[in-house]
Amino acid sequence: MGKLLSARDVRVQFATGGGLLSRPKTVRAVDGVSFDLDVGETLAIVGESGCGKTTLGRTLTMLQRPTSGSIEFDGAQLEQLRGSRLRDARRSMQMVFQDPMASLNPRQKIADIVGEPMLVAGVDAGRRAARVAELLELVGLGAAAARRLPRAFSGGQRQRIGIARALAADPKLIICDEPLSALDVSIQAQVVNLLVDLQRRLGLTYIFISHDLAVVRQMASRVAVMYLGTIVEQADVESIFTRPRHPYTVALL
């Protein structure tokens, strides 16, 4: 179906420490990552905490600028974009975050939270309200949820709100950063089923960042294994689980 995103030798480095008698150290959070992502695919990025998964996800959306390397998304070189051109590109790539409550403004009604990307894009109030109601129905909450505040919802429902907000911008790519880790196991399955159903209905492309290999096996079409900032192995999901080649992948499984 064609390539949507291409990362080449992406590196993100941070300087830490340093003082009167010591030099700052360089932390290589992402260290030479390369991969391609096709339209309609789900690429899972897996690894232990601290391996660079979240930093990579933020870098792909330019929330974190890469130190070097290139990221091409839908024909545009993201690292070269600034201002309105970068904002336009970002509308087509949205994030769903780990902690649903932390990503929602507790003082805003759900209508304002879900409708915010459309407000930024200049969509008028009537069309926003209709689209918010449509999105809340799509994620299984119902249009009446628009009038309530985040505290009225459970963790799984709040994650559904986060997904609805991501969909409000009509994205081509959604990056899910550990979207299930703050949820009970019984609720995780419901959110996974929702994401799979939305992909089928809307033709979405996902990057799914997770350490939960059972969920990855259910959702992903391809897996990239990260260790110490680099991808040590990537293959289709069945090959990773049945014929892992790298010792770290074997240990992770």
Coordinates of all heavy atoms in Angstrom, one line a residue, residues 78-156:
L78 N 10.6 15.7 8.1 CA 10.1 16.4 9.2 C 11.1 17.3 9.9 O 10.8 18.4 10.4 CB 9.5 15.4 10.2 CG 8.3 14.6 9.8 CD1 7.8 13.7 10.9 CD2 7.1 15.6 9.4
E79 N 12.4 16.8 10.0 CA 13.4 17.6 10.7 C 13.7 18.9 10.0 O 14.3 19.8 10.6 CB 14.7 16.7 10.8 CG 15.5 16.5 9.6 CD 15.0 15.4 8.7 OE1 13.9 14.8 9.0 OE2 15.6 15.2 7.6
Q80 N 13.3 19.1 8.8 CA 13.5 20.3 8.0 C 12.4 21.3 8.2 O 12.5 22.5 7.8 CB 13.7 20.0 6.6 CG 15.0 19.2 6.3 CD 15.1 18.8 4.8 OE1 14.4 19.3 4.0 NE2 16.1 18.0 4.5
L81 N 11.2 20.9 8.8 CA 10.1 21.7 8.9 C 10.1 22.6 10.1 O 10.6 22.1 11.2 CB 8.8 20.9 8.8 CG 8.6 20.0 7.6 CD1 7.2 19.2 7.7 CD2 8.6 20.8 6.3
R82 N 9.5 23.7 10.0 CA 9.3 24.7 11.2 C 8.0 25.3 11.1 O 7.3 25.3 10.0 CB 10.4 25.7 11.2 CG 11.9 25.3 11.3 CD 12.1 24.7 12.7 NE 13.5 24.4 12.9 CZ 14.2 23.3 12.5 NH1 13.5 22.4 11.8 NH2 15.4 23.2 12.8
G83 N 7.5 25.9 12.2 CA 6.3 26.7 12.2 C 5.1 26.0 11.7 O 4.8 24.9 12.0
S84 N 4.3 26.7 10.8 CA 3.0 26.2 10.3 C 3.2 25.0 9.5 O 2.3 24.1 9.5 CB 2.3 27.3 9.5 OG 3.1 27.7 8.4
R85 N 4.3 24.8 8.8 CA 4.5 23.6 8.0 C 4.6 22.4 8.9 O 4.1 21.3 8.5 CB 5.7 23.8 7.1 CG 5.5 24.8 6.0 CD 6.8 24.9 5.1 NE 7.0 23.7 4.4 CZ 8.2 23.4 3.9 NH1 9.3 24.2 4.1 NH2 8.3 22.3 3.2
L86 N 5.3 22.5 10.0 CA 5.4 21.4 10.9 C 4.1 21.1 11.6 O 3.7 20.0 11.8 CB 6.5 21.7 12.0 CG 6.7 20.6 13.0 CD1 7.1 19.3 12.4 CD2 7.8 21.1 14.0
R87 N 3.4 22.2 12.0 CA 2.0 21.9 12.6 C 1.1 21.2 11.6 O 0.3 20.3 12.1 CB 1.4 23.3 13.0 CG 2.1 23.9 14.3 CD 1.3 25.0 14.8 NE 1.2 26.2 13.9 CZ 2.1 27.1 13.9 NH1 3.2 27.1 14.7 NH2 1.9 28.1 13.0
D88 N 1.1 21.6 10.4 CA 0.3 20.9 9.4 C 0.7 19.4 9.3 O -0.2 18.6 9.2 CB 0.5 21.6 8.0 CG -0.2 22.9 8.0 OD1 -1.0 23.3 8.8 OD2 0.2 23.7 7.0
A89 N 2.0 19.1 9.3 CA 2.4 17.7 9.2 C 2.0 17.0 10.5 O 1.5 15.8 10.4 CB 3.9 17.6 9.0
R90 N 2.0 17.6 11.6 CA 1.7 16.9 12.9 C 0.2 16.6 13.0 O -0.1 15.6 13.7 CB 2.1 17.9 14.1 CG 3.5 17.7 14.5 CD 3.7 18.5 15.8 NE 5.1 18.5 16.2 CZ 5.6 19.5 16.9 NH1 5.0 20.7 17.0 NH2 6.9 19.4 17.3
R91 N -0.6 17.3 12.3 CA -2.1 16.9 12.3 C -2.3 15.5 11.8 O -3.3 14.9 12.2 CB -2.9 17.9 11.5 CG -3.0 19.3 12.2 CD -4.0 20.2 11.5 NE -4.0 21.5 12.0 CZ -3.5 22.6 11.4 NH1 -3.0 22.4 10.1 NH2 -3.4 23.8 11.9
S92 N -1.4 15.1 11.0 CA -1.6 13.7 10.4 C -0.9 12.7 11.2 O -1.0 11.5 10.8 CB -1.0 13.7 8.9 OG -1.8 14.5 8.1
M93 N -0.3 13.0 12.3 CA 0.3 12.0 13.2 C 0.0 12.4 14.6 O 0.4 13.5 15.1 CB 1.8 11.9 12.9 CG 2.6 13.2 12.9 SD 4.2 13.1 12.1 CE 4.9 11.6 12.8
Q94 N -0.7 11.6 15.3 CA -1.2 11.9 16.7 C -0.6 10.9 17.7 O -0.3 9.8 17.3 CB -2.7 11.9 16.7 CG -3.3 13.0 15.9 CD -3.1 14.4 16.4 OE1 -3.3 14.6 17.6 NE2 -2.7 15.3 15.6
M95 N -0.6 11.2 19.0 CA -0.2 10.3 20.0 C -1.3 10.0 21.0 O -2.1 10.9 21.3 CB 1.0 10.9 20.7 CG 2.3 11.0 19.9 SD 3.8 11.2 20.9 CE 4.0 9.7 21.7
V96 N -1.3 8.8 21.4 CA -2.1 8.3 22.6 C -1.1 8.0 23.7 O -0.2 7.1 23.5 CB -3.0 7.1 22.2 CG1 -3.7 6.6 23.5 CG2 -4.0 7.5 21.1
F97 N -1.3 8.6 24.8 CA -0.3 8.5 25.9 C -0.6 7.5 26.9 O -1.6 6.9 27.0 CB -0.1 9.9 26.6 CG 0.4 11.0 25.6 CD1 -0.5 11.9 25.0 CD2 1.7 11.1 25.4 CE1 -0.1 12.8 24.2 CE2 2.2 12.1 24.5 CZ 1.3 13.0 23.9
Q98 N 0.5 7.2 27.8 CA 0.4 6.1 28.7 C -0.6 6.3 29.8 O -1.4 5.5 30.1 CB 1.8 6.0 29.4 CG 1.9 4.9 30.5 CD 3.3 4.8 31.0 OE1 4.2 5.4 30.5 NE2 3.5 3.9 31.9
D99 N -0.7 7.5 30.4 CA -1.6 7.8 31.5 C -2.7 8.6 31.0 O -2.6 9.8 30.7 CB -0.8 8.6 32.6 CG -1.7 8.8 33.9 OD1 -2.9 8.6 33.8 OD2 -1.1 9.2 34.9
P100 N -3.9 8.0 30.8 CA -5.0 8.8 30.2 C -5.4 10.0 31.0 O -5.8 11.0 30.5 CB -6.2 7.7 30.2 CG -5.8 6.7 31.1 CD -4.3 6.6 31.2
M101 N -5.4 9.9 32.4 CA -5.8 11.1 33.2 C -4.8 12.2 33.1 O -5.2 13.4 33.0 CB -6.0 10.7 34.6 CG -6.7 11.8 35.5 SD -8.3 12.2 34.8 CE -8.8 13.5 35.8
A102 N -3.5 11.9 33.0 CA -2.5 13.0 32.9 C -2.5 13.7 31.6 O -2.1 14.8 31.5 CB -1.1 12.4 33.2
S103 N -3.1 13.1 30.6 CA -3.1 13.7 29.3 C -4.4 14.5 29.0 O -4.6 15.0 27.9 CB -2.9 12.6 28.2 OG -4.0 11.7 28.1
L104 N -5.3 14.5 30.0 CA -6.6 15.2 29.9 C -6.7 16.3 30.9 O -6.3 16.2 32.0 CB -7.8 14.3 30.1 CG -7.9 13.0 29.3 CD1 -9.0 12.1 29.7 CD2 -7.9 13.3 27.8
N105 N -7.1 17.5 30.4 CA -7.3 18.6 31.3 C -8.5 18.4 32.2 O -9.6 18.3 31.7 CB -7.5 19.9 30.5 CG -7.5 21.2 31.4 OD1 -7.9 21.1 32.5 ND2 -7.1 22.3 30.8
P106 N -8.3 18.2 33.5 CA -9.4 17.9 34.4 C -10.5 18.9 34.5 O -11.6 18.7 35.0 CB -8.8 17.7 35.8 CG -7.5 18.5 35.7 CD -7.1 18.4 34.3
R107 N -10.2 20.2 34.1 CA -11.2 21.3 34.2 C -12.0 21.5 32.9 O -12.9 22.3 32.8 CB -10.5 22.6 34.6 CG -9.9 22.5 36.0 CD -9.2 23.8 36.3 NE -8.1 24.1 35.5 CZ -6.8 23.6 35.7 NH1 -6.6 22.8 36.8 NH2 -5.8 23.9 34.9
Q108 N -11.6 20.7 31.8 CA -12.3 20.9 30.6 C -13.4 19.8 30.4 O -13.1 18.6 30.8 CB -11.3 20.8 29.4 CG -10.6 22.0 29.1 CD -9.8 21.9 27.8 OE1 -9.1 20.9 27.6 NE2 -9.9 22.9 26.9
K109 N -14.5 20.1 29.8 CA -15.5 19.1 29.4 C -14.9 18.3 28.3 O -14.1 18.7 27.5 CB -16.8 19.8 29.1 CG -17.5 20.4 30.3 CD -18.9 20.9 29.8 CE -19.6 21.5 31.0 NZ -20.9 22.0 30.7
I110 N -15.5 17.1 28.1 CA -15.0 16.2 27.1 C -15.2 16.8 25.7 O -14.3 16.6 24.8 CB -15.7 14.8 27.2 CG1 -15.5 14.2 28.6 CG2 -15.2 13.8 26.2 CD1 -14.0 14.1 29.1
A111 N -16.2 17.5 25.5 CA -16.4 18.2 24.2 C -15.3 19.1 23.8 O -14.9 19.1 22.7 CB -17.7 19.0 24.3
D112 N -14.7 19.8 24.8 CA -13.6 20.7 24.5 C -12.3 19.9 24.3 O -11.5 20.3 23.5 CB -13.5 21.7 25.7 CG -14.7 22.6 25.8 OD1 -15.3 23.0 24.8 OD2 -15.1 22.9 27.0
I113 N -12.1 18.9 25.1 CA -10.9 18.1 25.0 C -10.8 17.4 23.6 O -9.8 17.5 22.9 CB -10.9 17.0 26.1 CG1 -10.7 17.7 27.5 CG2 -9.8 16.0 25.8 CD1 -10.8 16.7 28.6
V114 N -11.9 16.7 23.2 CA -11.9 16.0 21.9 C -11.9 17.0 20.8 O -11.3 16.8 19.7 CB -13.1 15.1 21.9 CG1 -13.2 14.4 20.5 CG2 -13.0 14.0 23.0
G115 N -12.6 18.1 21.0 CA -12.7 19.1 19.9 C -11.5 20.0 19.7 O -11.5 20.8 18.7
E116 N -10.6 20.0 20.6 CA -9.4 20.9 20.6 C -8.7 20.9 19.3 O -8.3 21.9 18.7 CB -8.5 20.7 21.8 CG -7.4 21.7 21.9 CD -6.6 21.6 23.1 OE1 -6.7 20.5 23.8 OE2 -5.8 22.5 23.4
P117 N -8.3 19.7 18.7 CA -7.6 19.7 17.5 C -8.4 20.3 16.3 O -7.8 21.0 15.5 CB -7.4 18.2 17.2 CG -7.4 17.5 18.5 CD -8.4 18.3 19.3
M118 N -9.7 20.2 16.4 CA -10.5 20.9 15.3 C -10.6 22.4 15.5 O -10.6 23.1 14.6 CB -11.9 20.2 15.3 CG -11.9 18.8 14.9 SD -13.6 18.1 14.9 CE -13.8 17.7 16.6
L119 N -10.6 22.8 16.8 CA -10.6 24.2 17.1 C -9.3 24.9 16.6 O -9.3 25.9 15.9 CB -10.7 24.4 18.6 CG -10.6 25.9 19.1 CD1 -11.8 26.7 18.6 CD2 -10.6 25.9 20.6
V120 N -8.2 24.2 16.8 CA -6.9 24.7 16.3 C -6.9 24.8 14.8 O -6.3 25.7 14.2 CB -5.7 23.8 16.8 CG1 -4.4 24.2 16.2 CG2 -5.6 23.9 18.3
A121 N -7.6 23.8 14.1 CA -7.6 23.8 12.7 C -8.6 24.7 12.1 O -8.8 24.8 10.9 CB -7.9 22.4 12.2
G122 N -9.4 25.4 13.0 CA -10.3 26.4 12.5 C -11.7 25.9 12.1 O -12.5 26.6 11.4
V123 N -12.1 24.7 12.6 CA -13.4 24.2 12.3 C -14.4 24.9 13.1 O -14.2 25.1 14.3 CB -13.4 22.7 12.6 CG1 -14.8 22.1 12.4 CG2 -12.4 21.9 11.8
D124 N -15.6 25.3 12.5 CA -16.6 26.1 13.2 C -17.3 25.2 14.3 O -17.2 24.0 14.3 CB -17.6 26.6 12.3 CG -18.5 25.6 11.6 OD1 -19.3 24.9 12.3 OD2 -18.3 25.4 10.4
A125 N -17.9 25.9 15.3 CA -18.5 25.3 16.5 C -19.5 24.2 16.1 O -19.5 23.1 16.8 CB -19.1 26.3 17.4
G126 N -20.4 24.4 15.2 CA -21.4 23.5 14.8 C -20.8 22.2 14.3 O -21.2 21.1 14.7
R127 N -19.9 22.3 13.4 CA -19.2 21.1 12.8 C -18.4 20.4 13.9 O -18.3 19.1 13.9 CB -18.3 21.5 11.7 CG -19.1 21.9 10.4 CD -18.2 22.4 9.3 NE -17.2 21.5 8.9 CZ -16.0 21.9 8.4 NH1 -15.8 23.2 8.2 NH2 -15.2 21.0 8.0
R128 N -17.8 21.1 14.8 CA -17.0 20.5 15.9 C -17.9 19.7 16.8 O -17.6 18.5 17.1 CB -16.3 21.6 16.7 CG -15.0 22.1 16.2 CD -14.1 22.7 17.3 NE -14.8 23.6 18.2 CZ -15.0 24.9 18.1 NH1 -14.6 25.4 16.9 NH2 -15.6 25.6 19.0
A129 N -19.0 20.2 17.2 CA -19.9 19.5 18.1 C -20.4 18.2 17.4 O -20.5 17.2 18.1 CB -21.1 20.4 18.4
A130 N -20.8 18.3 16.1 CA -21.2 17.1 15.5 C -20.2 16.0 15.3 O -20.4 14.8 15.5 CB -21.8 17.5 14.1
R131 N -18.9 16.5 15.1 CA -17.8 15.5 14.9 C -17.4 14.9 16.3 O -17.1 13.7 16.4 CB -16.6 16.3 14.3 CG -15.4 15.4 14.1 CD -15.6 14.2 13.2 NE -14.4 13.5 12.9 CZ -14.3 12.3 12.5 NH1 -15.4 11.6 12.4 NH2 -13.1 11.7 12.3
V132 N -17.5 15.7 17.3 CA -17.2 15.2 18.7 C -18.2 14.1 19.0 O -17.8 13.0 19.5 CB -17.2 16.3 19.7 CG1 -17.3 15.8 21.2 CG2 -16.0 17.2 19.6
A133 N -19.5 14.4 18.8 CA -20.5 13.4 19.1 C -20.2 12.1 18.3 O -20.4 11.0 18.8 CB -21.9 13.9 18.7
E134 N -19.9 12.2 17.0 CA -19.6 11.1 16.1 C -18.4 10.3 16.7 O -18.4 9.1 16.7 CB -19.3 11.6 14.7 CG -18.9 10.5 13.7 CD -18.6 11.1 12.4 OE1 -19.0 12.3 12.1 OE2 -17.8 10.4 11.6
L135 N -17.3 11.0 17.1 CA -16.1 10.3 17.6 C -16.4 9.6 18.9 O -15.9 8.5 19.1 CB -15.0 11.3 17.8 CG -14.4 11.9 16.5 CD1 -13.5 13.1 16.8 CD2 -13.6 10.8 15.7
L136 N -17.2 10.2 19.8 CA -17.5 9.6 21.1 C -18.3 8.3 20.9 O -18.2 7.3 21.6 CB -18.2 10.5 22.0 CG -17.3 11.7 22.5 CD1 -18.1 12.7 23.3 CD2 -16.2 11.2 23.4
E137 N -19.2 8.3 19.9 CA -19.9 7.1 19.5 C -19.0 6.1 19.0 O -19.1 4.9 19.3 CB -21.0 7.5 18.5 CG -22.2 8.3 19.0 CD -23.1 7.6 19.9 OE1 -23.0 6.4 20.1 OE2 -24.0 8.2 20.5
L138 N -18.0 6.5 18.1 CA -17.1 5.6 17.5 C -16.3 4.8 18.5 O -16.0 3.7 18.3 CB -16.2 6.4 16.5 CG -15.3 5.6 15.6 CD1 -16.1 4.8 14.6 CD2 -14.4 6.6 14.8
V139 N -15.9 5.5 19.6 CA -15.0 4.9 20.6 C -15.8 4.2 21.7 O -15.3 3.7 22.7 CB -14.0 5.8 21.2 CG1 -13.1 6.4 20.1 CG2 -14.6 7.0 22.0
G140 N -17.2 4.2 21.6 CA -18.0 3.4 22.5 C -18.4 4.2 23.7 O -18.8 3.5 24.7
L141 N -18.4 5.5 23.8 CA -18.8 6.2 25.0 C -20.1 6.9 24.8 O -20.8 7.1 25.8 CB -17.7 7.3 25.3 CG -16.4 6.9 25.7 CD1 -15.4 8.0 25.9 CD2 -16.5 6.1 27.1
G142 N -20.6 7.2 23.6 CA -21.8 7.8 23.5 C -21.7 9.4 23.5 O -20.9 9.9 24.2
A143 N -22.6 10.0 22.7 CA -22.5 11.5 22.6 C -22.7 12.2 23.9 O -22.2 13.3 24.1 CB -23.5 11.9 21.5
A144 N -23.5 11.6 24.8 CA -23.8 12.3 26.1 C -22.5 12.5 26.9 O -22.5 13.4 27.8 CB -24.8 11.5 26.9
A145 N -21.5 11.8 26.7 CA -20.2 12.0 27.4 C -19.6 13.3 27.2 O -18.8 13.8 28.0 CB -19.2 10.9 27.0
A146 N -20.0 14.0 26.1 CA -19.4 15.3 25.8 C -19.6 16.3 26.9 O -18.8 17.3 27.0 CB -19.9 15.8 24.4
R147 N -20.7 16.2 27.6 CA -21.0 17.2 28.6 C -20.3 17.0 30.0 O -20.5 17.8 30.9 CB -22.5 17.2 28.8 CG -23.3 17.6 27.6 CD -24.8 17.8 27.9 NE -25.4 16.5 28.3 CZ -26.0 15.6 27.6 NH1 -26.0 15.8 26.2 NH2 -26.6 14.6 28.1
R148 N -19.6 16.0 30.1 CA -19.0 15.6 31.4 C -17.6 15.9 31.5 O -16.9 16.3 30.5 CB -19.3 14.1 31.7 CG -20.7 13.7 31.6 CD -21.0 12.2 31.5 NE -20.7 11.6 32.8 CZ -20.7 10.2 32.9 NH1 -21.0 9.5 31.9 NH2 -20.5 9.7 34.1
L149 N -17.0 15.8 32.7 CA -15.6 16.1 33.0 C -14.8 14.8 33.1 O -15.5 13.7 33.4 CB -15.4 16.9 34.3 CG -16.0 18.3 34.3 CD1 -16.0 18.9 35.8 CD2 -15.2 19.2 33.4
P150 N -13.5 14.8 32.9 CA -12.8 13.5 32.9 C -12.9 12.7 34.2 O -12.9 11.5 34.2 CB -11.3 14.0 32.8 CG -11.4 15.3 32.0 CD -12.7 15.9 32.5
R151 N -13.1 13.4 35.4 CA -13.2 12.6 36.6 C -14.4 11.7 36.7 O -14.5 10.8 37.5 CB -13.2 13.6 37.8 CG -14.4 14.5 37.9 CD -14.4 15.3 39.2 NE -15.5 16.2 39.3 CZ -15.5 17.5 39.0 NH1 -14.3 18.0 38.6 NH2 -16.5 18.2 39.1
A152 N -15.4 11.9 35.8 CA -16.6 11.1 35.8 C -16.4 9.7 35.1 O -17.3 8.9 35.1 CB -17.7 11.8 35.1
F153 N -15.2 9.5 34.6 CA -14.9 8.3 33.8 C -13.8 7.4 34.4 O -13.0 7.9 35.1 CB -14.5 8.7 32.4 CG -15.5 9.5 31.6 CD1 -15.5 10.9 31.6 CD2 -16.5 8.8 30.9 CE1 -16.5 11.6 31.0 CE2 -17.5 9.5 30.2 CZ -17.5 10.9 30.2
S154 N -13.9 6.1 34.1 CA -12.9 5.2 34.5 C -11.6 5.3 33.7 O -11.6 6.0 32.7 CB -13.4 3.8 34.4 OG -13.6 3.4 33.0
G155 N -10.6 4.6 34.1 CA -9.3 4.7 33.4 C -9.5 4.2 31.9 O -8.9 4.9 31.0
G156 N -10.2 3.1 31.7 CA -10.4 2.7 30.3 C -11.2 3.6 29.5 O -10.9 3.9 28.3

